[in-house]
Structure formats: structure tokens, C-alpha cells
Amino acid sequence: MAIIGIDLGTTNSLACVYRNGRAELIPNELGDFKTSSAVSVLEDGTVLVGAAAKERLVSHPESTAASFKIWMGTEKRLNLGIRQFKPEELSALVLRQLLEDSTRYLGEPVEEAVISVPAYFNDDQRCATKLAAQLAGLTVRRLINEPSAAALYHRYSTQSGDSQMMIVDFGGGTLDVSIVDCFENIIEITAIVGDNRLGGNDIDHAIVAHFCKENGLVEERLAPSLRASLYRQAETAKIALSDVQETVITIQQENTQYSLVLTNALLRQLCEPVFQKVRAVITRAMKDRERTSRIHDVVLVGGSSGLTVFGDFLEELFGRRPHVAQKPDEIVALGVGLCAGIKERAEDLQDLVMTDVCPFSLGVATYSYAGDKTPHMAVLIPRSSMLPASHQECFYTLHNHQNRLRFEIYQGEGYFASENLKLGELEVQVPPGLAGEQSALVTFTYDIDGILHVSAKSSGGDYRDTLLLNPNLHLSEEGQAEAMERIRQIQLAAQGSQKEQLLLERGLRLYEQTIGQRRKLAAELVGYWKQIMEQNDLIERERNYEWVKERLDLLEAQTEMDPLACGFWRDEPEVDE
């Protein structure tokens, strides 16, 4: 039974397995390694996951969701048609799709996985990721920080000499910066800093905001399909500017056409607020590192790392061009695949050692004196502590005849407890006595997965190790079974139908985005392909698939040439009545 590695990303997700001496990416049904982290509910209740779902962000935005990873560990609810989902349930559907693709590709059952998470994911977010895996039917062997996985594969694949490097993981929705020491077969993460709400999506938002400002539009008043189309074009445009000097974004509202010429100079200007936040994260990482030796290399990973404007910004910051890793949007998945190989005790990976660190400080709220009204943070495990980490500290009563000690557990860097994320609380009984006579020994243990375990033992012998965290993320066995059954009852699109559905959804999106003759062509292609799909004739569907796809590709290009002059309908295959 194989263990797979999974990069559960904001924009795309990938699966990887270690076999035959290498990390091997697992293709999905479409033959692609990347599966869009998007979920859409069809009218009959069937759920699409991946590229076909992403297409429906334009044509059916009310029943489609993407970028829900940023809401992991929160109380957010997302409505898709008549269904309502928690973020971890949507992530579970993505994981389930990856699980099905992996089982099909490997030809054997898969029940265990190593899953990557942003290094700066807090405890709630990590627990939500574990819950998503459980709902998908997976046992999590380990959670690994995304930049740590990238560092592992970069070191393994390049076989570079001993060095200290900085990994900048700039994805669709998160930024992680890690300082990594490489010595012989040891990869030691010495500092991690990040921002869970900063990524390539913020650049898309900046482009859309500028587009609306320049054209006198109010984004919130745009039709959902038009907004989705605008964001899709913004994402395409920013990527295109790494190869061309300028590109045009255009939308049509009623009888008016709105456009924006986007250049690299303008994009850099729009990115400046985002890049200043990146600068702050990098500066903090440099201050947190244990060693002051020179950084030998800056390695960029993540789906947004290849943007020319991002490379230009970092070149100005460091005085030299950073190194973009090979396959920057796949390197995390490959690293997680290596980690899965280590968990399987692959013989050629036995000597590879990787350490990780705690990204946040962890502690309890404490009072300085009896009348103190603003508790501050007593840190038990400081950020950048090597994992696994454990620390004990004794806390004493403040009042005469006090018979209990209650501990509120926090995660964060604020001095006052209220400035940090409350993870939970626990309470122990103590014998009544004078102030300061009774106490409790509190133990924090932060494991290799970045999950916190807390216990407290009082001077009177009372012991508690149950930590009450977010109840939605720590389900009882009964609650978990109910949630798993609810996810299991959701019908994913049948194997073999994904690419056909993707073709239909592309046609529907193009119909939404176009007008005039192009819209007419899109409508004809949608009607034609829908008729083919409804026929229970596999040979007929295969025979017409490429024909329809070629014409959609031409329509996608949106050439200035009259579409009717492109010969779209030459040699049209006959449709059986």
C-alpha cells in the first residue's frame, strides 16, 4: 500500500509518489499534474473538482468555489448552489479527487499521505488540514511545511555543496520565507516567517481594482460572471507579461466595451503594496535566523515566483537576481513525495535528515499581579524553536483560597494575550491556600507536524491533558463519522467524464465572455458537443472530441480575424440522428 505526498495548494494541488528511486508526480485524468483547487456543484448534485470546476467560475459562479484554502481553520461557510460547505470539506473533495487519481495511476490502494501546509499555518489551520484528509479517507503520516519540502527537493536534486539559502515560496494565496542550512546530508530549517493572506491573488485584486478605477466601474456591482471573467483575465495577463511588453484586458458590459492596456511598468506600480509586505516578511526572516553567515542563494518557488516583476523586485532588494527553482510550481509536491519516501523507509533516502522549526511562539495568558486586568503572553515555546519542541513552566495562584488554575493557550507574537490567536484552554484544581502557595506545572509539546499538545498537573495532583480547541476542527468520533459519511455521499464526476465536461464548461465560459459572431460560434459548439455527450456512444464522443477542442482553442485565442473566415465548419463530422 503506497504512501503519497500531496501539495494541497490555494490555486492548484498535486500528488506525488516515491518509487524506483525518484519522486514521481501523479497525473490526473486529463494527463495534467496540476489539479485546480476548485469545486463546483452541477444541477443534478454531482460535484466537479479541477479544471472543469475552474471553468465554471465564469459561467456558474454561484455554484463554484476556489481559493478556499485561505479560509481553512475559520468559521467561514461557502454556498455552492443549494449546498453549504466548510472550507475543510471543500479541501476534502479536492483530496478525494487526488486520491482517486492516485489509486487509478498506481494500481493499488492509497490510504496514507504526507501533506504540505504553508509554514505560517496556525494550529487551527493545520488541524483543519488534518480533518480534511480524514474526511477524504486519508491517514496523515505527517504535515510538512511547504518551503521545507521545497528545500528538501532542491537540495536532493541539485546535490549542491554545504550552504545557507533562503527559500521564498510565493504562491497564489500564501507567502513563506525560510532560511535553510545545508550540511552534508542534513537539511536544517533555522527560521520561518510568512503571511497566510499574501500571494499572487493579491496581484490579481490590484489589477482588477485598477481596471475598474480606470473605466469608472464599481467591482461589487459587476455581474458575478463578469467579475470572474475579469479576474481570470487579470491572472492570465500578469503571467503573459513575463514574455511580452504589454497585454490587453477587455470586458463587455451590455453594449459598452471596457479595456486596459497592462504593461510591466504599470504592473510593477500596482504590485508595490504587495511587494512591500514581502519585504517585511523577508526582513523578519533575516533577523530570526540563528546564524549570521552569508546567504549563498535565494531560491524562488511557488506558482507566483516566475513573475518577471517579482524577480525584478527581489533583484533590487538583494542586489542580484534570485534563482528560480526548476519546476517552481511543482517543487513542493516533489519534496512532499520525497518525504513520503522517507516515511516508507526507502533505502536510498535513509541517510537524509531534515529538521523543521516552530513558526509561531506558543504560550499561556498570565497576570503580573492580583489586580492585573490585561493578561500578557508567557511564552513556553518561542518561534523558530527546532521541532519537536517541549517545555515546562510552573504557574502559581494569585489569590488567597484560590482553588483552581485556568490556562488560556495562545499562539502569536503579541505581548498582550488578546493580540494573539487563542487555541483553547484547560483547567486544574488546586488545594485552597494562601496566594502563591499552590501551583501547576504546564507542559507544551509541539510535534513534528506542527500540532500542539498541552498538559497541566497541579500541586494537589490534579492532571489534565485535554485541550479544548475549535470544536468544528476537533470532532468527536461520532461527529467525524457523520462528516465523513456526508462527504462520501457527494458524487464526484465519474471517471472518464472529466475531459468531456471540461470541454463543455470551456464552451459555456467562452459564451459568457464573448459577443456577436464569437458568441454565436460558442453557442453552436456548446449545443453540438452537448448533443454528442448525451449520446451513449463512446466512439462518437472520441471521434468528435478533438474536433470540438480545436475550434474552442481557436475561439479562445480571440484573434482579430473574423471567426467565420477561419473555416470552423469545414469537414464537419456528421452527427447520428
Side-chain angles (χ1 to χ4, degrees), residues 115-138:
I115 301 178
S116 65
V117 292
Y120 230 53
F121 253 23
N122 60 38
D123 198 72
D124 277 355
Q125 292 164 316
R126 290 171 187 269
C127 288
T129 302
K130 276 197 160 185
L131 176 58
Q134 290 167 359
L135 296 179
L138 281 168

mmCIF file of all heavy atoms in Angstrom, residues 115-138:
data_model
loop_
_atom_site.group_PDB
_atom_site.id
_atom_site.type_symbol
_atom_site.label_atom_id
_atom_site.label_comp_id
_atom_site.label_asym_id
_atom_site.label_seq_id
_atom_site.Cartn_x
_atom_site.Cartn_y
_atom_site.Cartn_z
ATOM 1 N N ILE A 115 1.205 15.524 3.741
ATOM 2 C CA ILE A 115 0.562 16.692 3.134
ATOM 3 C C ILE A 115 1.329 17.952 3.515
ATOM 4 O O ILE A 115 1.713 18.136 4.669
ATOM 5 C CB ILE A 115 -0.907 16.825 3.587
ATOM 6 C CG1 ILE A 115 -1.681 15.567 3.194
ATOM 7 C CG2 ILE A 115 -1.565 18.055 2.975
ATOM 8 C CD1 ILE A 115 -3.138 15.569 3.630
ATOM 9 N N SER A 116 1.554 18.813 2.538
ATOM 10 C CA SER A 116 2.251 20.076 2.800
ATOM 11 C C SER A 116 1.258 21.153 3.217
ATOM 12 O O SER A 116 0.105 21.171 2.779
ATOM 13 C CB SER A 116 3.022 20.532 1.557
ATOM 14 O OG SER A 116 2.143 20.847 0.504
ATOM 15 N N VAL A 117 1.724 22.048 4.074
ATOM 16 C CA VAL A 117 0.931 23.199 4.513
ATOM 17 C C VAL A 117 1.843 24.421 4.493
ATOM 18 O O VAL A 117 3.067 24.298 4.628
ATOM 19 C CB VAL A 117 0.358 23.017 5.938
ATOM 20 C CG1 VAL A 117 -0.684 21.920 5.978
ATOM 21 C CG2 VAL A 117 1.473 22.742 6.943
ATOM 22 N N PRO A 118 1.275 25.616 4.316
ATOM 23 C CA PRO A 118 2.102 26.822 4.451
ATOM 24 C C PRO A 118 2.788 26.835 5.812
ATOM 25 O O PRO A 118 2.189 26.466 6.822
ATOM 26 C CB PRO A 118 1.091 27.965 4.322
ATOM 27 C CG PRO A 118 -0.030 27.382 3.507
ATOM 28 C CD PRO A 118 -0.117 25.943 3.941
ATOM 29 N N ALA A 119 4.043 27.238 5.833
ATOM 30 C CA ALA A 119 4.796 27.209 7.089
ATOM 31 C C ALA A 119 4.135 28.052 8.163
ATOM 32 O O ALA A 119 4.232 27.748 9.348
ATOM 33 C CB ALA A 119 6.225 27.704 6.839
ATOM 34 N N TYR A 120 3.451 29.099 7.741
ATOM 35 C CA TYR A 120 2.855 30.003 8.717
ATOM 36 C C TYR A 120 1.407 29.657 9.028
ATOM 37 O O TYR A 120 0.681 30.468 9.599
ATOM 38 C CB TYR A 120 2.970 31.448 8.221
ATOM 39 C CG TYR A 120 3.535 32.376 9.262
ATOM 40 C CD1 TYR A 120 4.738 32.080 9.885
ATOM 41 C CD2 TYR A 120 2.874 33.533 9.627
ATOM 42 C CE1 TYR A 120 5.261 32.915 10.852
ATOM 43 C CE2 TYR A 120 3.387 34.385 10.595
ATOM 44 C CZ TYR A 120 4.591 34.065 11.213
ATOM 45 O OH TYR A 120 5.110 34.894 12.180
ATOM 46 N N PHE A 121 0.963 28.459 8.660
ATOM 47 C CA PHE A 121 -0.352 27.985 9.080
ATOM 48 C C PHE A 121 -0.356 27.850 10.599
ATOM 49 O O PHE A 121 0.554 27.254 11.179
ATOM 50 C CB PHE A 121 -0.650 26.628 8.439
ATOM 51 C CG PHE A 121 -1.682 26.690 7.336
ATOM 52 C CD1 PHE A 121 -1.932 27.858 6.645
ATOM 53 C CD2 PHE A 121 -2.401 25.554 6.978
ATOM 54 C CE1 PHE A 121 -2.876 27.916 5.639
ATOM 55 C CE2 PHE A 121 -3.349 25.596 5.970
ATOM 56 C CZ PHE A 121 -3.593 26.781 5.291
ATOM 57 N N ASN A 122 -1.404 28.386 11.228
ATOM 58 C CA ASN A 122 -1.501 28.248 12.680
ATOM 59 C C ASN A 122 -2.117 26.894 13.043
ATOM 60 O O ASN A 122 -2.418 26.077 12.171
ATOM 61 C CB ASN A 122 -2.283 29.418 13.292
ATOM 62 C CG ASN A 122 -3.704 29.516 12.769
ATOM 63 O OD1 ASN A 122 -4.370 28.504 12.550
ATOM 64 N ND2 ASN A 122 -4.184 30.736 12.570
ATOM 65 N N ASP A 123 -2.306 26.680 14.342
ATOM 66 C CA ASP A 123 -2.764 25.370 14.807
ATOM 67 C C ASP A 123 -4.146 25.018 14.258
ATOM 68 O O ASP A 123 -4.397 23.879 13.852
ATOM 69 C CB ASP A 123 -2.786 25.346 16.335
ATOM 70 C CG ASP A 123 -2.831 23.933 16.885
ATOM 71 O OD1 ASP A 123 -1.807 23.237 16.796
ATOM 72 O OD2 ASP A 123 -3.896 23.524 17.380
ATOM 73 N N ASP A 124 -5.053 26.000 14.224
ATOM 74 C CA ASP A 124 -6.387 25.748 13.681
ATOM 75 C C ASP A 124 -6.308 25.323 12.222
ATOM 76 O O ASP A 124 -7.017 24.412 11.773
ATOM 77 C CB ASP A 124 -7.255 27.013 13.791
ATOM 78 C CG ASP A 124 -7.879 27.164 15.174
ATOM 79 O OD1 ASP A 124 -7.705 26.248 15.995
ATOM 80 O OD2 ASP A 124 -8.528 28.190 15.419
ATOM 81 N N GLN A 125 -5.456 25.994 11.452
ATOM 82 C CA GLN A 125 -5.342 25.695 10.025
ATOM 83 C C GLN A 125 -4.721 24.323 9.793
ATOM 84 O O GLN A 125 -5.119 23.604 8.867
ATOM 85 C CB GLN A 125 -4.532 26.797 9.336
ATOM 86 C CG GLN A 125 -5.258 28.140 9.311
ATOM 87 C CD GLN A 125 -4.339 29.297 8.981
ATOM 88 O OE1 GLN A 125 -3.221 29.406 9.488
ATOM 89 N NE2 GLN A 125 -4.802 30.177 8.111
ATOM 90 N N ARG A 126 -3.755 23.959 10.600
ATOM 91 C CA ARG A 126 -3.138 22.636 10.470
ATOM 92 C C ARG A 126 -4.139 21.536 10.854
ATOM 93 O O ARG A 126 -4.229 20.499 10.185
ATOM 94 C CB ARG A 126 -1.887 22.553 11.347
ATOM 95 C CG ARG A 126 -0.748 23.418 10.835
ATOM 96 C CD ARG A 126 0.410 23.502 11.818
ATOM 97 N NE ARG A 126 1.388 24.477 11.353
ATOM 98 C CZ ARG A 126 2.441 24.196 10.573
ATOM 99 N NH1 ARG A 126 2.662 22.942 10.212
ATOM 100 N NH2 ARG A 126 3.259 25.134 10.182
ATOM 101 N N CYS A 127 -4.884 21.780 11.924
ATOM 102 C CA CYS A 127 -5.888 20.796 12.330
ATOM 103 C C CYS A 127 -6.987 20.679 11.274
ATOM 104 O O CYS A 127 -7.513 19.579 11.030
ATOM 105 C CB CYS A 127 -6.479 21.178 13.676
ATOM 106 S SG CYS A 127 -5.340 20.945 15.061
ATOM 107 N N ALA A 128 -7.342 21.795 10.639
ATOM 108 C CA ALA A 128 -8.343 21.760 9.566
ATOM 109 C C ALA A 128 -7.834 20.940 8.385
ATOM 110 O O ALA A 128 -8.607 20.213 7.746
ATOM 111 C CB ALA A 128 -8.682 23.178 9.118
ATOM 112 N N THR A 129 -6.546 21.036 8.098
ATOM 113 C CA THR A 129 -5.955 20.244 7.007
ATOM 114 C C THR A 129 -6.015 18.757 7.342
ATOM 115 O O THR A 129 -6.350 17.926 6.482
ATOM 116 C CB THR A 129 -4.498 20.677 6.763
ATOM 117 O OG1 THR A 129 -4.459 22.079 6.459
ATOM 118 C CG2 THR A 129 -3.887 19.897 5.603
ATOM 119 N N LYS A 130 -5.698 18.423 8.590
ATOM 120 C CA LYS A 130 -5.793 17.015 9.004
ATOM 121 C C LYS A 130 -7.233 16.515 8.928
ATOM 122 O O LYS A 130 -7.489 15.383 8.504
ATOM 123 C CB LYS A 130 -5.252 16.858 10.429
ATOM 124 C CG LYS A 130 -3.745 16.703 10.522
ATOM 125 C CD LYS A 130 -3.347 16.143 11.873
ATOM 126 C CE LYS A 130 -1.968 15.527 11.822
ATOM 127 N NZ LYS A 130 -1.586 14.868 13.075
ATOM 128 N N LEU A 131 -8.170 17.369 9.330
ATOM 129 C CA LEU A 131 -9.580 16.986 9.276
ATOM 130 C C LEU A 131 -10.017 16.777 7.835
ATOM 131 O O LEU A 131 -10.739 15.812 7.531
ATOM 132 C CB LEU A 131 -10.438 18.059 9.940
ATOM 133 C CG LEU A 131 -11.954 17.850 9.885
ATOM 134 C CD1 LEU A 131 -12.350 16.524 10.519
ATOM 135 C CD2 LEU A 131 -12.683 19.000 10.567
ATOM 136 N N ALA A 132 -9.574 17.643 6.922
ATOM 137 C CA ALA A 132 -9.916 17.493 5.505
ATOM 138 C C ALA A 132 -9.430 16.145 4.977
ATOM 139 O O ALA A 132 -10.140 15.450 4.233
ATOM 140 C CB ALA A 132 -9.306 18.633 4.683
ATOM 141 N N ALA A 133 -8.206 15.761 5.372
ATOM 142 C CA ALA A 133 -7.664 14.466 4.947
ATOM 143 C C ALA A 133 -8.490 13.316 5.504
ATOM 144 O O ALA A 133 -8.797 12.345 4.788
ATOM 145 C CB ALA A 133 -6.204 14.341 5.379
ATOM 146 N N GLN A 134 -8.872 13.410 6.765
ATOM 147 C CA GLN A 134 -9.685 12.355 7.381
ATOM 148 C C GLN A 134 -11.028 12.225 6.673
ATOM 149 O O GLN A 134 -11.508 11.113 6.428
ATOM 150 C CB GLN A 134 -9.890 12.660 8.858
ATOM 151 C CG GLN A 134 -8.620 12.521 9.690
ATOM 152 C CD GLN A 134 -8.757 13.125 11.071
ATOM 153 O OE1 GLN A 134 -9.806 13.674 11.416
ATOM 154 N NE2 GLN A 134 -7.698 13.066 11.873
ATOM 155 N N LEU A 135 -11.639 13.365 6.330
ATOM 156 C CA LEU A 135 -12.923 13.325 5.631
ATOM 157 C C LEU A 135 -12.785 12.713 4.242
ATOM 158 O O LEU A 135 -13.741 12.147 3.708
ATOM 159 C CB LEU A 135 -13.503 14.743 5.522
ATOM 160 C CG LEU A 135 -13.862 15.429 6.849
ATOM 161 C CD1 LEU A 135 -14.400 16.827 6.588
ATOM 162 C CD2 LEU A 135 -14.877 14.609 7.631
ATOM 163 N N ALA A 136 -11.593 12.837 3.655
ATOM 164 C CA ALA A 136 -11.349 12.261 2.329
ATOM 165 C C ALA A 136 -10.964 10.786 2.402
ATOM 166 O O ALA A 136 -10.801 10.129 1.371
ATOM 167 C CB ALA A 136 -10.249 13.044 1.607
ATOM 168 N N GLY A 137 -10.809 10.270 3.626
ATOM 169 C CA GLY A 137 -10.442 8.860 3.787
ATOM 170 C C GLY A 137 -8.952 8.613 3.835
ATOM 171 O O GLY A 137 -8.493 7.503 3.583
ATOM 172 N N LEU A 138 -8.175 9.652 4.181
ATOM 173 C CA LEU A 138 -6.726 9.532 4.233
ATOM 174 C C LEU A 138 -6.217 9.633 5.663
ATOM 175 O O LEU A 138 -6.715 10.442 6.449
ATOM 176 C CB LEU A 138 -6.064 10.646 3.410
ATOM 177 C CG LEU A 138 -6.008 10.478 1.891
ATOM 178 C CD1 LEU A 138 -5.605 11.793 1.242
ATOM 179 C CD2 LEU A 138 -5.022 9.373 1.510
#
